[in-house]
Amino acid sequence: MSDKPSEEPSSTPEIPDDVWEQFARDTERDIRGSAPKEPSARARLVTERLRQQEARGEQPEGWRTGPAGRERGGRTARRRRLWAIGGVAVALAVVVVAMKPSLLPGDPFGKGSSQAAASSLPAETAAPTAPPAATDPEPPTLDEPFAGSPALRWADGAAGIALPEATAVGGLPKDRVELALQQTRKLLVHANLDPKTLRGERPEAVLAVLDPQQPDLVDDVNRSLRAPGKDDDPLRMFSRFDPADVELVGEVIKTRGRMTFAKGDQGGVAVHADYTFVYPLVRTDGSTEVTRTIVRRVLDVELLDPARYRATPGRLDVLRYDVSSGNSACGVYDGYLHPRFDSADPTGAPATGPTTDPYDRSGNLDTDPDTCGSVSRV
């Protein structure tokens, strides 16, 4: 026997190296995972938002939101996104408006002109089906003579007489149609907008458009200008005001209407014109009260072919000229329109006809010369 004492077996089982290494790695990973971390910026924002929602008693939206919920959330997100994108533009606009408030439409601070704020109507291309809508009962003033009037949105002066595009019609060439339209426009402008005509001076520019070979017309016009009367009234073709009594407020006359063309019964270019002119006026005695006279004219003219008819080249043959004047004294035939002012005693005969809207362009004119009614608005 050997006298060397025998070794006691170890009570701890031996662990293989590969198992020990795996254990060490797992333990280290668990320690790192359980260690406290500094939250990211996004995490801090989310935590703060949830805290605020909880303080308001709101519940966060579930992450398994159904289709309806997602649709609602999607619309809200789009609204918020637009608001956020527009925020920069709004901020810049606030700075600009702070430096120049007049850039805001509608005059929100009451310092601008309502006329400048009004948007112009598109050109009239067909007969209206109803009169213009009611407007605010704002009285006209020297600064804003068209306040409270549908004409506020009408075109200024000759700009309101826009010509249709000329085209060949019924075998008549385009240039002939263009000439007829231009001559009709010239007649309207010089008969209703020319300052000389409005003051009662002889309208030579209109006479230069009319065909002197047309039977009776030029003679009738000349006679009415020399000696106005009930049967020879220049107001049938011209707008005229007595400069001793009234004058225009500013330089703007509002105009609205339309013009059409076709081949005429006499083989020429026939033009139909229907226009309304609005004149703001004040008395010349120093009064500041402003009123308006509204004149609607309907014209039918034809540019004849000199090769077929006794006609002057380029001159118009007038077939019809009807007129309706709103806010002018009844029974006065001195060749001038006489507007009524509230602060002045009325002139002329009492109005016995019906009350009509002078801005209504949807119907035909009442051409009875003996009818004189009242207007519903000026």
Side-chain angles (χ1 to χ4, degrees):
M1 291 182 61
S2 170
D3 55 3
K4 183 178 179 180
S6 63
E7 295 181 354
E8 294 288 331
S10 173
S11 60
T12 303
E14 186 174 348
I15 300 176
D17 292 343
D18 57 341
V19 174
W20 176 260
E21 291 174 359
Q22 180 65 38
F23 170 79
R25 287 195 299 269
D26 291 345
T27 301
E28 183 180 2
R29 185 185 65 246
D30 291 342
I31 293 173
R32 286 199 306 267
S34 61
K37 296 179 180 179
E38 176 68 20
S40 66
R42 175 177 174 80
R44 289 196 298 271
L45 289 174
V46 172
T47 302
E48 176 61 19
R49 177 171 60 81
L50 293 175
R51 185 187 66 77
Q52 293 177 359
Q53 287 182 340
E54 183 178 0
R56 293 193 299 267
E58 299 176 358
Q59 295 297 324
E61 185 180 22
W63 65 276
R64 286 191 179 179
T65 307
R70 283 200 299 271
E71 185 179 354
R72 280 197 306 272
R75 286 199 297 265
T76 302
R78 284 194 293 271
R79 287 195 297 269
R80 288 174 180 167
R81 187 158 55 247
L82 289 171
W83 176 260
I85 294 172
V88 177
V90 170
L92 291 175
V94 169
V95 174
V96 173
V97 169
M99 294 186 293
K100 193 170 184 180
S102 61
L103 293 178
L104 277 179
D107 190 28
F109 306 112
K111 295 181 179 180
S113 168
S114 62
Q115 294 187 60
S119 58
S120 297
L121 291 174
E124 184 179 286
T125 56
T129 58
T135 54
D136 294 334
E138 188 177 356
T141 65
L142 294 174
D143 292 331
E144 299 189 2
F146 296 101
S149 166
L152 177 62
R153 299 181 61 197
W154 294 7
D156 294 354
I161 308 178
L163 300 182
E165 182 180 359
T167 59
V169 59
L172 300 169
K174 175 182 176 180
D175 59 347
R176 186 114 184 118
V177 174
E178 180 68 29
L179 176 60
L181 293 173
Q182 291 289 353
Q183 291 293 79
T184 304
R185 185 178 190 271
K186 188 179 296 185
L187 189 159
L188 289 166
V189 168
H190 289 293
N192 300 280
L193 301 171
D194 190 323
K196 295 180 180 180
T197 301
L198 298 177
R199 292 194 300 264
E201 298 181 22
R202 184 174 173 81
E204 295 291 353
V206 176
L207 297 175
V209 172
L210 304 179
D211 191 343
Q213 299 192 64
Q214 181 175 1
D216 300 329
L217 175 68
V218 176
D219 290 340
D220 290 345
V221 170
N222 283 322
R223 186 169 55 252
S224 70
L225 292 170
R226 287 194 308 266
K230 183 176 181 180
D231 295 329
D232 296 300
D233 192 350
L235 296 178
R236 293 175 185 170
M237 184 168 286
F238 311 107
S239 294
R240 307 166 83 231
F241 299 92
D242 189 345
D245 294 335
V246 296
E247 61 184 1
L248 287 173
V249 179
E251 299 179 351
V252 174
I253 298 167
K254 291 292 186 176
T255 308
R256 185 159 183 80
R258 64 190 182 280
M259 194 182 300
T260 58
F261 63 89
K263 185 174 183 179
D265 294 337
Q266 302 178 79
V269 180
V271 179
H272 175 78
D274 184 341
Y275 286 87
T276 299
F277 304 89
V278 182
Y279 304 92
L281 300 152
V282 67
R283 297 198 304 273
T284 55
D285 61 1
S287 171
T288 59
E289 180 187 358
V290 177
T291 191
R292 292 180 287 256
T293 291
I294 303 97
V295 177
R296 181 183 175 189
R297 296 193 182 276
V298 176
L299 283 173
D300 284 308
V301 300
E302 189 167 349
L303 184 65
L304 300 177
D305 183 358
R308 299 179 56 191
Y309 292 92
R310 183 183 174 187
T312 304
R315 300 290 191 94
L316 295 177
D317 194 61
V318 179
L319 308 178
R320 171 192 177 192
Y321 52 114
D322 293 333
V323 60
S324 175
S325 303
N327 189 27
S328 183
C330 296
V332 179
Y333 301 103
D334 61 355
Y336 295 112
L337 294 161
H338 292 276
R340 180 183 180 276
F341 293 85
D342 290 338
S343 61
D345 294 333
T347 59
T352 58
T355 298
T356 59
D357 183 354
Y359 293 97
D360 186 0
R361 296 183 38 77
S362 62
N364 296 324
L365 289 183
D366 182 0
T367 57
D368 185 355
D370 296 325
T371 300
C372 187
S374 56
V375 293
S376 60
R377 54 179 170 176
V378 296

